[in-house]
Amino acid sequence: MGTKKIMIVLVLSIELLALGIYYGRLSAKEYTDYFVAGNELDAQYGDGEAFLQFQTSGVMLEQGIYDITVQYTASGGGTVEVFGDIRNSRSIWSDTIRYIPEKKGVTFSIWVNEKTKGVGVAIRPDGGEILVDYVKIGRAWNSGLYLTLVLALKLLLLDGGVLLLLYGGRLRNYSVQIWGIAGITLICSVGLFGRYLTYGHDMVFHLNRIEGLKDGLLSGMFPVRVQPTWNNGWGYAVSVMYGDLTLWLPALMRMAGFTLQTTWKTFLITVNLLTAVISYYSFYKIGRDKYAALAASLLYCTGMYRLACIYVRAAVGEFTVMMFLPLVVLGFWYAFDGEEMEERYGEKLAAPVIGFTGMIQTHVLTCEMSALFLIALCLIMIKKVMRKETFFYLLKIAVWTILINLWFLVPFFCFWKEGLVVSQMTEMRDDFQTWGLSFAEIFATSPSKAYNFTFGENVSLANKCTFSLGTALFGGAAACLIFLWNDKVKKPKAAAVSLSFGGAAVWMASNLFPYQRIKESAPKVAAALSKIQFPYRFLGLAGLFFTLAVFFTAIRAKGIRARRYLAAGLIALSTLAAYQGMDYQYQILYGGAFENKYSPAVLNTADVVSGEYLYENSSVDVKDTLKEVTGSGVVIDFFYGKYLDTVVSCKAAENGAYIEVPVFYYPGYVAVDKEGGRYRVLKSENNNRVRVELPKGFDGVVRVSYEEPYLFRVCLAISLLSSAAFLFRGRIKQGILAKKAGKVWRKNE
């Protein structure tokens, strides 16, 4: 080990030790909780004795996270705010929390970023009366962990600068790739560096998913199936129907104490970085040209529809699945490239298996849309598909992908057979075709910055949220067509197929595609197509295909003159793509809505969009007051519920007795008494809540909780073993070969 490496290990060891000591001191330090009874609050009045607010007196808070609880009884609504002698706007991060008469209390978190005096809580009614029982300010359980991680990140940033100085010479060999990928990430992320969040259509839904995953993990559930936070604690099986593997980073950040918006922005920047890295890697492996690969990565990452999914739609599933699509393309490139790739069959499994796994785990609808084009590609390349090497290569991809994702696929299809709203959509809506984009919208230079969704036969684009691919991608597609038309592309099949698929995807995203005729002539096909919800989703695939068309044209141009034109064209397209991407983000920053979200208390946990993952006729209008356990033929002594676990002490007085627990029913709920006896669990007709049937004479305590079915646990074990085998398949293969070689050697000896 060289001197530099010894110094690095020594410095890192010292830093880890310092972080451990820092965390230990924070954990050992005693903090005083501030408790103020309602009668001790200061009441402030305006002119004519008009009531303004109640507030606590100011206290001093050191750096950290604090939980604030206000317990009250109110006849009207109002707000709860935090005040203090703030030196700057970053001293305290806090939301304005609304209280409502249906609840008896609110709890939220604040982040004190520097020692601040005069911190207090103000309760401001909008109308009606409020009787405050108490206000409590206490240190959050993860405050020390949060402060330690913030310090660790600062040290990591410093270490990165030192390493850059020490190993800068080696990194210069990859300076084009490093600066190119960093530049692409910055261009796509510049809209995230403001002090606030820009509003996105599905942002609250996905923030609830992150918060639900966090709380599911904290409740001890692994993997998380039914997230407990949703619907005021009634639960939601979003993790079963909507893969959340990529949400582990933000969920762990929330567990560590980072604010909602810091977590959200970090997640988006990470996705932008990984999309740039993966797309560059995939394109480079195909063309072995780093400049063409970087240009293609820039075109792909700055695609206008992708940026709209991030900044306007907040469509997590769609912009995260775009991270994995280039790996799927790379896998099929390995399969169909030509004879020179035959010796690599069986070795190039990682890219497509990871790609397909990412698709399944992020956006099942994209799997359905992609299947149309993958089937078409296999039919076009049928001769190569039927080759022994190619066929078994594709078969291996399919088998490995299924085994690795069995833990998700089996529960998904089991729940799909239930009477959930999403599985009851058996036919295409009559107005589905009008949801497609008009010809004018498709060729817009950039998507609209408007947020309103308005579908109809004749709607002004001035007030409609509309989408496009942008001029850069369409310009690149037009250039590809010109080169193909003039026979300036060697082996033009890949470019021609990509361009054709891109055109088909744009057509399917438009209102010109004959969805209504398909519904009339082939209703089952129409029903399958309608599962994508919105035709414009095909723009995501169109962006990928047009990028591929440009890339294949660039790496296979005929003649020196054509290559010169292409080099200049790629520079022009890259410049246009960078400008368009940044300009669109600034349009949103300058003209879009904005808000701050720090604590999960600001989230509407009943924001389930159309309630796709609930049983039909389920009402999400379940207030905190509807946490009562009810029943028939029973006397309920007491009950206690946390997350999805509910403990009930009761007596059954007659036959047919049952209790109903305030959580939405899903397969997997069990009811167990202290002796381990189990009782029948059903779906109640009372808002599809969990019902437990009890025998006459039952007198005791029963615990109702979600317990993953045995089949799901078996599938998880298979997936874990398959993932390990896939990860170490090379070493396993080498070990088998070495063992065979040893036997041969001993036999010959």
Side-chain angles (χ1 to χ4, degrees), residues 654-718:
E654 58 187 50
N655 290 324
Y658 63 83
I659 58 172
E660 292 185 344
V661 179
V663 293
F664 284 124
Y665 171 85
Y666 291 104
Y669 275 100
V670 296
V672 184
D673 61 23
K674 288 184 176 180
E675 287 72 36
R678 295 194 169 222
Y679 302 91
R680 190 182 182 194
V681 176
L682 302 170
K683 177 163 62 72
S684 168
E685 295 178 357
N686 181 12
N687 202 25
N688 297 315
R689 55 165 58 184
V690 170
R691 173 181 290 185
V692 180
E693 293 186 343
L694 299 173
K696 182 180 179 180
F698 176 86
D699 185 357
V701 176
V702 61
R703 179 187 177 191
V704 184
S705 60
Y706 185 82
E707 184 179 292
E708 194 173 35
Y710 181 74
L711 175 62
F712 294 3
R713 295 199 293 271
V714 170
C715 291
L716 176 62
I718 293 172

Side-chain angles (χ1 to χ4, degrees), residues 460-482:
S460 171
L461 298 185
N463 300 310
K464 180 183 177 183
C465 180
T466 184
F467 308 105
S468 74
L469 291 177
T471 306
L473 280 172
F474 273 118
C480 174
L481 180 62
I482 292 171

Side-chain angles (χ1 to χ4, degrees), residues 452-645:
N452 297 326
F453 268 104
T454 307
F455 297 104
E457 293 292 343
N458 189 19
V459 178
S460 171
L461 298 185
N463 300 310
K464 180 183 177 183
C465 180
T466 184
F467 308 105
S468 74
L469 291 177
T471 306
L473 280 172
F474 273 118
C480 174
L481 180 62
I482 292 171
F483 272 77
L484 287 171
W485 182 266
N486 290 285
D487 193 26
K488 295 297 182 181
V489 182
K490 295 179 290 186
K491 297 182 179 179
K493 193 170 187 178
V497 169
S498 299
L499 188 63
S500 301
F501 280 7
V506 170
W507 183 33
M508 297 184 76
S510 75
N511 59 12
L512 304 176
F513 192 78
Y515 287 110
Q516 189 61 31
R517 291 188 179 181
I518 293 174
K519 179 183 178 180
E520 294 168 359
S521 58
K524 290 186 178 180
V525 175
L529 287 172
S530 69
K531 292 291 191 295
I532 67 172
Q533 294 180 307
F534 309 110
Y536 57 71
R537 290 189 194 272
F538 279 103
L539 287 181
L541 293 176
L544 173 67
F545 294 140
F546 281 163
T547 301
L548 287 171
V550 172
F551 180 68
F552 285 129
T553 302
I555 63 175
R556 290 181 169 178
K558 287 183 181 179
I560 297 175
R561 189 175 181 183
R563 286 196 291 272
R564 286 176 179 171
Y565 281 135
L566 267 172
L570 280 179
I571 293 172
L573 283 176
S574 299
T575 304
L576 178 59
Y579 171 77
Q580 271 193 327
M582 294 187 71
D583 181 63
Y584 178 57
Q585 292 172 68
Y586 278 106
Q587 285 183 44
I588 294 168
L589 288 175
Y590 292 153
F594 72 94
E595 54 192 346
N596 288 307
K597 290 185 185 297
Y598 299 114
S599 172
V602 299
L603 298 178
N604 174 18
T605 61
D607 185 3
V608 294
V609 191
S610 301
E612 290 92 340
Y613 313 135
L614 293 170
Y615 286 92
E616 286 193 297
N617 302 316
S618 296
S619 172
V620 296
D621 188 22
V622 285
K623 308 299 184 186
D624 272 6
T625 52
L626 298 180
K627 291 289 185 65
E628 300 289 327
V629 175
T630 59
S632 175
V634 296
V635 176
I636 298 174
D637 297 325
F638 73 85
F639 63 89
Y640 171 77
K642 185 177 182 181
Y643 295 122
L644 299 177
D645 285 3

Side-chain angles (χ1 to χ4, degrees), residues 173-178 180-182 184 272-298 300-301 323 326-327 330 547 551:
N173 296 328
Y174 304 98
S175 57
V176 172
Q177 294 92 322
I178 292 172
I181 290 171
I184 293 169
N272 282 334
L273 173 62
L274 291 177
T275 305
V277 170
I278 291 172
S279 58
Y280 170 78
Y281 170 83
S282 302
F283 294 138
Y284 179 76
K285 283 292 184 179
I286 292 172
R288 300 289 175 178
D289 185 324
K290 60 184 178 183
Y291 297 103
L294 278 174
S297 179
L298 176 62
Y300 181 62
C301 291
M323 182 167 59
L327 291 175
L330 180 59
T547 301
F551 180 68

Side-chain angles (χ1 to χ4, degrees), residues 113-334:
N113 299 311
E114 58 185 3
K115 192 173 183 178
T116 306
K117 297 180 180 179
V119 180
V121 180
I123 301 103
R124 299 189 175 99
D126 293 338
E129 297 182 352
I130 180 172
L131 177 63
V132 180
D133 297 324
Y134 64 83
V135 177
K136 180 181 177 183
I137 303 175
R139 191 97 167 170
W141 70 271
N142 53 0
S143 180
L145 176 61
Y146 168 74
L147 293 175
T148 304
L149 285 175
V150 169
L151 178 59
L153 290 172
K154 292 177 180 178
L155 291 174
L156 191 62
L157 185 62
L158 179 63
D159 292 341
V162 174
L163 289 175
L164 190 62
L165 292 175
L166 291 175
Y167 294 98
R170 297 183 186 180
L171 294 176
R172 287 192 192 97
N173 296 328
Y174 304 98
S175 57
V176 172
Q177 294 92 322
I178 292 172
W179 288 110
I181 290 171
I184 293 169
T185 305
L186 179 62
I187 289 168
C188 296
S189 306
V190 69
L192 300 171
F193 290 100
R195 291 279 308 281
Y196 51 82
L197 290 172
T198 55
Y199 170 78
H201 295 148
D202 295 342
M203 185 171 65
V204 172
F205 175 81
H206 292 296
L207 286 175
N208 274 323
R209 288 180 65 205
I210 293 168
E211 204 66 18
L213 179 60
K214 178 207 76 175
D215 287 332
L217 293 171
L218 288 175
S219 72
M221 191 185 304
F222 179 82
V224 177
R225 300 295 189 187
V226 180
Q227 295 188 0
T229 306
W230 292 79
N231 302 310
N232 288 310
W234 281 51
Y236 196 41
V238 63
S239 288
V240 175
M241 306 302 295
Y242 202 152
D244 50 23
L245 199 60
T246 55
L247 296 183
W248 271 68
L249 170 64
L252 292 175
M253 286 186 65
R254 284 291 301 125
M255 290 174 69
F258 290 92
T259 67
L260 283 177
Q261 64 184 50
T262 299
T263 297
W264 179 255
K265 289 181 178 182
T266 303
F267 172 61
L268 297 186
I269 293 170
T270 303
V271 169
N272 282 334
L273 173 62
L274 291 177
T275 305
V277 170
I278 291 172
S279 58
Y280 170 78
Y281 170 83
S282 302
F283 294 138
Y284 179 76
K285 283 292 184 179
I286 292 172
R288 300 289 175 178
D289 185 324
K290 60 184 178 183
Y291 297 103
L294 278 174
S297 179
L298 176 62
L299 277 176
Y300 181 62
C301 291
T302 57
M304 291 289 97
Y305 181 69
R306 179 179 175 275
L307 293 180
C309 284
I310 294 174
Y311 290 101
V312 174
R313 297 190 59 221
V316 167
E318 288 190 67
F319 67 68
T320 51
V321 79
M322 293 179 194
M323 182 167 59
F324 297 101
L325 293 177
L327 291 175
V328 176
V329 171
L330 180 59
F332 279 87
W333 173 264
Y334 286 145

